[in-house]
Amino acid sequence: PCEGHEPTGRRPAPPRRPGRAPWNRRPPTLRRGWGTAPDDVGCGPGIVSAELARQAGQVIGIDITPEMLDQARRRCELARLPNVEFLAGRADGLPFEDRSFDVVVSRLTLHHVAQPSMALREMARVVTSDGRAVLSDIVCSEQAAEADLQNALEVLRDPSHVRMLST
């Protein structure tokens, strides 16, 4: 251990294996052949949308930021993925009918939303009753002082950050 630091008792992280980065791995809950188009809520630059488009017939990405939508469109055009449509919209007010999607995906979006519970309700509303919602986001400490510091630092890094949730 480093001088002045006690061992945590946690096992060290396993060595990284060569191959795809963890954030580019296909989530195990997504399968080819799902009936309706997957919806990528808060699609940002289209990283997840592009991956979904390689496995689904049609993908819809939605984001509130025009610059992110432009990046997403360019990403999918360069990758020759014509089966992706990008729309401007809010995660807490999705412009889709109830039970429109078999798969709803949201990666690194909730910490940008003022009321994450509203976004979660919207995702639950638009996914079919036997569909899947796949969510991934950053989290903060359960300790209030640490969480405040983590959120303050994240705002410095990304001014669009609102608040991380704790586990």
Side-chain angles (χ1 to χ4, degrees):
C2 297
E3 186 178 332
H5 294 279
E6 294 298 317
T8 62
R10 288 185 261 172
R11 283 194 244 157
R16 289 187 178 250
R17 291 182 290 169
R20 299 177 83 178
W23 55 87
N24 280 341
R25 288 193 190 121
R26 190 172 290 157
T29 54
L30 301 180
R31 298 181 187 91
R32 294 183 189 275
W34 285 74
T36 56
D39 179 25
D40 183 7
V41 178
C43 66
I47 294 167
V48 173
S49 298
E51 185 62 32
L52 290 170
R54 290 180 176 91
Q55 357 173 9
Q58 180 69 29
V59 175
I60 298 174
I62 187 165
D63 202 283
I64 195 170
T65 310
E67 295 82 7
M68 289 288 106
L69 292 169
D70 290 342
Q71 285 185 35
R73 287 184 187 104
R74 276 194 301 277
R75 175 184 304 277
C76 289
E77 286 169 9
L78 288 172
R80 294 192 172 104
L81 297 168
N83 56 326
V84 187
E85 179 182 358
F86 293 102
L87 305 172
R90 300 177 57 92
D92 56 5
L94 297 172
F96 307 115
E97 293 181 16
D98 294 358
R99 297 183 175 93
S100 300
F101 300 94
D102 288 328
V103 178
V104 175
V105 176
S106 181
R107 177 182 167 267
L108 300 175
T109 299
L110 293 178
H111 68 277
H112 292 286
V113 180
Q115 295 182 330
S117 61
M118 291 295 296
L120 292 170
R121 271 197 280 284
E122 281 294 283
M123 290 181 231
R125 179 184 64 78
V126 301
V127 73
T128 59
S129 59
D130 61 342
R132 304 268 174 120
V134 180
L135 306 171
S136 174
D137 209 327
I138 57 177
V139 295
C140 64
S141 172
E142 292 180 1
Q143 304 300 318
E146 288 180 13
D148 289 345
L149 176 61
Q150 291 165 336
N151 278 300
L153 291 171
E154 187 64 17
V155 168
L156 292 174
R157 189 193 71 76
D158 179 0
S160 69
H161 175 80
V162 175
R163 176 177 52 95
M164 287 181 261
L165 301 174
S166 62
T167 56

